[in-house]
């Protein structure tokens, strides 16, 4: 997690609670990494992106990504919204990974995987227009759907990793609509999509033929938790219940990592096994 002192935060006039606060750039922060019972703290100075996403990378590096970007004044490029940091908190690379990013995850080899929102898809950025994208750590787009999705995406929902594979969850905006679970194998670029048994989930984690999905209850300390199994080519609901949590779950606070869903609920983190 990234800790930012309140003196660096601005409060939104339109969004209540902590989610309505964001850092004013440039700012300093402290990266806290917990592995088992061990805690490591790294001071990161002069951060120049307003981060929406934090992700770990190989060799103890990490990534900060802002959800939005703008065209340069000349109109021929897009402003940086992604920064790769060394283990000591020093910037190593800066680049743009598209505009309007509600869901992002990194894979075991350091690949960056993004799902975009409607303002990015229809906002003129070339990679965002496809709805989903894969990037390397030099900021080059290395994967695109290329017509292999069941529909055109309108909004990314959440993302997960499963060993060497990546899952991006999104919904479409066509007349038939629907939410889909798209599995990508980074090594080969292969892609398989399944209809989701849960519409617009906030959290998703998968292990083999089992998966768990969550949907938040707006302004309530509870989520809908659904367990599913892959039977043939369909994900089938096994159970569904309301789960009480320590605090409110807001947008973009769930991510699946190798069979576990990490869900932020207020000031607490929950781990739900698939």
């Amino acid at each position: 997690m990234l800790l930012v002192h309140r003196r660096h935060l601005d409060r939104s006039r339109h969004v209540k609670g902590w989610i309505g606060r964001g850092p004013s750039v440039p700012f300093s922060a402290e990266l806290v990494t917990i592995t088992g019972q061990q805690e490591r703290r790294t001071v990161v100075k002069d951060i120049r992106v307003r981060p929406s996403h934090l992700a770990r990378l190989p060799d103890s590096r990490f990534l900060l990504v802002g959800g939005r970007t703008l065209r340069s004044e000349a109109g021929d490029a897009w402003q940086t919204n992604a920064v790769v940091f060394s283990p000591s908190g020093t910037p190593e690379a800066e680049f743009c990974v598209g505009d309007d990013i509600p869901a992002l995850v990194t894979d075991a080899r350091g690949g960056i995987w993004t799902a975009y929102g409607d303002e990015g898809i229809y906002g003129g950025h070339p990679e965002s227009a496809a709805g989903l994208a894969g990037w390397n750590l030099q900021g080059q787009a290395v994967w695109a759907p290329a017509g292999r999705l069941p529909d055109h995406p309108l909004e990314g929902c959440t993302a997960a990793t499963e060993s060497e594979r990546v899952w991006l969850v999104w919904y479409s905006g066509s007349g038939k609509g629907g939410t889909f679970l798209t599995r990508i194998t980074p090594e080969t670029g292969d892609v398989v999509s399944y209809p989701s048994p849960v519409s617009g989930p906030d959290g998703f984690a998968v292990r083999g033929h089992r998966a768990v999905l969550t949907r938040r209850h707006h302004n309530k300390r509870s989520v809908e938790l659904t367990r599913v199994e892959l039977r043939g080519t369909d994900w089938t609901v096994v159970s569904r219940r309301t789960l009480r949590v320590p605090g409110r779950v807001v947008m973009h606070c769930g991510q699946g990592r190798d069979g576990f869903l990490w869900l932020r609920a207020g000031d607490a983190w929950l781990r739900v096994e698939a």
Side-chain angles (χ1 to χ4, degrees):
M1 66 191 76
L2 192 70
L3 303 181
V4 182
H5 195 281
R6 66 181 62 188
R7 67 174 176 268
H8 295 302
L9 301 180
D10 293 331
R11 184 190 297 270
S12 170
R13 293 179 296 174
H14 309 291
V15 182
K16 296 181 179 180
W18 68 266
I19 194 66
R21 295 189 177 193
S24 178
V25 296
F27 66 97
S28 297
E30 189 173 40
L31 177 73
V32 181
T33 306
I34 300 173
T35 305
Q37 299 299 316
Q38 296 183 339
E39 178 182 297
R40 175 180 176 180
R41 290 176 175 257
T42 304
V43 175
V44 188
K45 298 180 178 180
D46 198 31
I47 299 173
R48 296 187 175 272
V49 297
R50 185 166 174 153
S52 301
H53 303 279
L54 163 66
R56 296 193 66 183
L57 296 171
D59 303 319
S60 298
R61 294 176 295 167
F62 61 98
L63 175 75
L64 290 180
V65 176
R68 301 305 307 264
T69 185
L70 297 170
R71 288 184 186 270
S72 64
E73 293 184 2
D76 57 352
W78 293 82
Q79 295 178 7
T80 291
N81 65 343
V83 183
V84 176
F85 290 88
S86 71
S88 63
T90 302
E92 291 186 340
E94 299 180 354
F95 44 83
C96 178
V97 290
D99 184 35
D100 191 11
I101 310 170
L104 178 147
V105 72
T106 51
D107 64 32
R109 300 186 180 186
I112 305 166
W113 300 87
T114 46
Y116 299 97
D118 58 344
E119 293 184 19
I121 292 170
Y122 297 104
H125 190 280
E127 281 75 32
S128 302
L132 310 178
W135 306 80
N136 64 21
L137 292 179
Q138 289 73 49
Q140 299 167 325
V142 295
W143 182 89
R148 293 174 290 174
L149 300 178
D151 206 345
H152 192 76
L154 180 67
E155 186 79 19
C157 300
T158 187
T161 58
E162 181 199 13
S163 186
E164 297 293 325
R165 296 184 290 193
V166 172
W167 293 75
L168 297 174
V169 183
W170 53 276
Y171 63 81
S172 68
S174 68
K176 58 183 179 180
T179 300
F180 297 91
L181 313 174
T182 293
R183 186 188 72 202
I184 304 161
T185 305
E187 186 175 5
T188 62
D190 291 343
V191 55
V192 179
S193 295
Y194 304 89
S196 172
V198 176
S199 176
D202 304 305
F204 172 72
V206 58
R207 175 173 290 161
H209 66 281
R210 303 191 312 274
V212 60
L213 302 99
T214 57
R215 287 186 64 182
R216 72 188 188 281
H217 294 155
H218 185 60
N219 281 335
K220 295 182 179 179
R221 296 189 176 194
S222 60
V223 297
E224 179 186 82
L225 188 149
T226 303
R227 294 190 177 277
V228 299
E229 287 186 356
L230 183 60
R231 298 174 180 174
T233 58
D234 296 313
W235 287 97
T236 302
V237 174
V238 175
S239 67
R240 180 178 283 126
R241 68 187 180 97
T242 296
L243 178 67
R244 294 284 299 173
V245 295
R248 289 182 298 168
V249 177
V250 298
M251 296 175 65
H252 317 320
C253 278
Q255 188 174 97
R257 282 288 186 184
D258 299 326
F260 292 96
L261 172 62
W262 293 90
L263 191 67
R264 179 173 176 178
D267 292 330
W269 284 93
L270 283 75
R271 189 181 76 166
V272 183
E273 187 173 4

